[in-house]
Amino acid sequence: MDVTVLLYAFLILYPLLILWRYVHGKRDKDCYILDYECYKPTDDRKLDTEFSGEVILRNANLGLNEYKFLLKAIVSSGIGEQTYAPRIMFDGREENPTLEDGTSEMDEFFKDSIAKLLARSGVSAQEIDVLIVNVSMISAVPSLASRIINHYKMREDIKVFNLTGMGCSASLISVNIAQNILKTYKNVHALVVTSESLSPNWYSGNDRSMILANCLFRSGGCAILLTNKRSLKHRCMFKLKCLVRTHHGARDESYGCCIQREDDLGHLGFHLGKNLPKAGTRAFVDNLREIAPKILPVRELLRFMVLTIFIKKWNQSSTKGGSTGPKPVIDFKTGVDHFCVHTGGKAVIDGIGVNLDLSEYDLEPARMTLHRFGNTSASSLWYVLAYMEAKKRLKKGDRVLMISFGAGFKCNSCLWEVVRDLNDGNNAWNDCINEYPPDSLANPFMEKYGWINNEDPSTFVLPR
């Protein structure tokens, strides 16, 4: 009798034990954003039209044709007059940077944004369990992560990751690292720090594929505090639903389209190849193909599948010489409420808008971020997110899709769910959010420097 009771007890309790272990193992493995802080440099670092012209004229390797090319590029860039440059530009030393120029630029960001983030979140530097720093184009010894640890006197057992060379999509790589750690350890605070050091990376040559980078990139950065602490879930802002990374580095064409190299005269710069749009589109399509089933409702996936089959059969049976029917389009708005697009340039934003059939309302945060802050590399996504927050667009339950591109060539994307209504945003947009969107995004470069287009190369004299 006792054996029978024990057997029944085992048969009942053992499945319950397995179920409890499964549920318990799933708990505290989610990745939440507790808070984030976008860096806003001081006003004395603003790069207006007149000063931009002075910087360009300082480059003795440029001629009239290069001036015309730069004017066309900057006028159509979508960048305004409120963006920021490193201090070395205002000292007139951009062609002769030192190691200290690069590290001091980063220190200024670290000491401002991380301090503000920790103070607002109520988390001390000693409570940080994981530190992940991504700054692509500077490598210092000790690392930039070590500089942060030293300044804030963090714990000796902190887990540290210092990423370089990962390009504009690096912040989502950092989030992915944090996500994997939060799945393994409970009650963790992870600090992600993302920026770019422009001081050592000004191109002083005249290769058009490399001077273009001088027009697009601006100073910025963001510090993001992630956690899986159950006690803090009610205070968190976003929950990570999924993240997908696509890397086409094995393809020579993709690898070489966006690369740091020296020109024929030995000037170091960042080459943006003509095949960059093609490489970006390939990576983008492959990334969407993988993330779509993870974030879209089944009904939309079925609709797209049926539509694809129908159009394919219609094309095969069509007798109209070579004519094809419309291409099937998947509607990402069925599973996404807001689109956080990397501000790689106006063409990048336009291209994503066309491919995803997005409205101007959807693209407004990216366009305004490009205009106000420029392309701040891997931190750009967070300025776009901050714009949405400042505009009070983000409500509890909303889903935000982030899409980023980077050298390699890479396309990374992720989906966040808004955990609570975000109506009290206090971020880098506060002082100007009521001015956006402006009536026009046109910058005054053409008005001030348009006369260059009328100059004759045989008689042109550089103005001094």
Side-chain angles (χ1 to χ4, degrees):
M1 185 66 176
D2 291 340
V3 174
T4 303
V5 171
L6 289 174
L7 179 61
Y8 277 113
F10 175 79
L11 292 175
I12 294 172
L13 294 177
Y14 183 72
L16 293 177
L17 175 63
I18 297 298
L19 180 62
W20 178 85
R21 290 182 63 182
Y22 174 79
V23 173
H24 184 71
K26 288 287 185 180
R27 299 178 71 179
D28 303 320
K29 289 188 175 183
D30 291 323
C31 179
Y32 292 89
I33 292 180
L34 182 59
D35 207 342
Y36 68 104
E37 177 71 27
C38 290
Y39 178 47
K40 186 180 177 184
T42 52
D43 287 347
D44 60 340
R45 290 174 56 185
K46 281 189 177 180
L47 199 61
D48 61 21
T49 299
E50 185 173 353
F51 183 71
S52 297
E54 293 176 10
V55 173
I56 292 172
L57 291 176
R58 288 203 295 249
N59 186 350
N61 292 311
L62 300 182
L64 180 60
N65 290 333
E66 287 75 29
Y67 292 144
K68 290 181 178 180
F69 172 78
L70 284 172
L71 179 62
K72 181 179 179 181
I74 195 67
V75 165
S76 61
S77 67
I79 296 176
E81 291 196 288
Q82 303 293 309
T83 60
Y84 302 94
R87 295 193 183 279
I88 189 174
M89 306 295 296
F90 299 90
D91 295 338
R93 299 185 296 104
E94 64 272 8
E95 294 190 19
N96 299 288
T98 65
L99 176 62
E100 185 178 358
D101 290 321
T103 54
S104 62
E105 180 188 359
M106 291 296 93
D107 284 342
E108 192 172 349
F109 156 55
F110 296 155
K111 293 175 183 179
D112 178 88
S113 296
I114 296 176
K116 289 179 180 177
L117 176 64
L118 295 179
R120 191 169 61 242
S121 65
V123 176
S124 71
Q126 289 68 41
E127 293 179 88
I128 302 298
D129 304 286
V130 181
L131 174 63
I132 307 168
V133 178
N134 64 260
V135 180
S136 288
M137 298 182 70
I138 183 173
S139 181
V141 180
S143 68
L144 295 177
S146 293
R147 295 176 75 90
I148 295 174
I149 291 170
N150 177 263
H151 177 76
Y152 289 98
K153 307 304 177 188
M154 294 178 172
R155 300 199 318 263
E156 294 181 357
D157 63 342
I158 188 171
K159 294 176 176 60
V160 186
F161 301 83
N162 193 87
L163 310 181
T164 62
M166 302 303 289
C168 296
S169 63
S171 65
L172 294 192
I173 297 174
S174 297
V175 168
N176 190 211
I177 293 173
Q179 177 191 23
N180 291 330
I181 294 174
L182 296 180
K183 287 180 180 179
T184 306
Y185 300 93
K186 294 183 179 181
N187 298 316
V188 171
H189 280 125
L191 177 62
V192 169
V193 181
T194 175
S195 185
E196 191 56 85
S197 180
L198 301 184
S199 295
N201 294 294
W202 177 259
Y203 175 63
S204 57
N206 59 9
D207 187 316
R208 292 189 181 188
S209 71
M210 299 168 78
I211 59 177
L212 194 58
N214 290 349
C215 296
L216 296 175
F217 289 99
R218 297 291 189 269
S219 294
C222 186
I224 307 110
L225 187 58
L226 304 165
T227 190
N228 61 358
K229 287 195 173 186
R230 192 184 316 165
S231 60
L232 297 176
K233 287 183 180 180
H234 67 287
R235 289 176 48 197
C236 290
M237 303 174 73
F238 305 94
K239 178 182 179 181
L240 183 61
K241 303 297 290 184
C242 70
L243 190 151
V244 172
R245 293 164 55 181
T246 302
H247 202 307
H248 282 180
R251 301 181 180 182
D252 292 342
E253 186 180 39
S254 297
Y255 174 80
C257 71
C258 188
I259 190 170
Q260 187 181 28
R261 65 173 177 81
E262 293 177 336
D263 66 13
D264 295 337
L265 299 177
H267 298 290
L268 184 65
F270 200 63
H271 164 75
L272 301 175
K274 292 182 179 179
N275 58 335
L276 177 58
K278 183 178 179 181
T281 300
R282 285 177 175 173
F284 182 46
V285 170
D286 285 354
N287 187 273
L288 290 183
R289 187 179 290 117
E290 184 174 351
I291 199 171
K294 301 176 186 292
I295 66 176
L296 298 182
V298 174
R299 67 178 185 278
E300 174 59 20
L301 298 174
L302 289 174
R303 184 198 68 83
F304 179 72
M305 182 178 66
V306 171
L307 186 61
T308 301
I309 295 173
F310 174 79
I311 290 178
K312 184 178 180 180
K313 289 185 177 179
W314 187 89
N315 288 336
Q316 290 175 347
S317 61
S318 176
T319 57
K320 301 175 182 178
S323 65
T324 59
K327 293 183 179 179
V329 177
I330 194 164
D331 186 2
F332 274 82
K333 292 184 181 180
T334 58
V336 178
D337 300 293
H338 309 282
F339 295 83
C340 195
V341 178
H342 170 55
T343 59
K346 184 177 181 298
V348 173
I349 298 171
D350 290 344
I352 293 177
V354 170
N355 281 282
L356 296 185
D357 195 24
L358 303 183
S359 67
E360 279 304 311
Y361 178 86
D362 298 321
L363 297 175
E364 178 187 309
R367 293 199 195 282
M368 299 308 112
T369 299
L370 180 63
H371 184 267
R372 175 62 180 85
F373 293 98
N375 181 354
T376 58
S377 189
S379 65
S380 294
L381 287 173
W382 306 98
Y383 289 92
V384 180
L385 186 67
Y387 181 89
M388 297 176 186
E389 183 187 356
K391 282 292 187 181
K392 300 182 178 7
R393 292 188 178 187
L394 303 177
K395 306 300 180 182
K396 182 178 180 180
D398 284 358
R399 290 151 69 93
V400 183
L401 178 63
M402 282 187 168
I403 304 170
S404 65
F405 301 89
F409 191 84
K410 301 183 290 293
C411 178
N412 300 329
S413 63
C414 69
L415 186 74
W416 298 97
E417 180 182 319
V418 182
V419 176
R420 56 181 173 83
D421 289 347
L422 301 178
N423 295 323
D424 54 350
N426 180 24
N427 59 44
W429 285 95
N430 278 5
D431 68 334
C432 63
I433 192 61
N434 293 329
E435 302 169 13
Y436 281 86
D439 295 333
S440 172
L441 294 179
N443 59 43
F445 278 85
M446 183 61 74
E447 179 182 344
K448 189 171 182 62
Y449 299 109
W451 55 267
I452 286 178
N453 290 327
N454 300 321
E455 291 292 312
D456 186 339
S458 62
T459 60
F460 176 70
V461 178
L462 183 69
R464 294 297 181 185

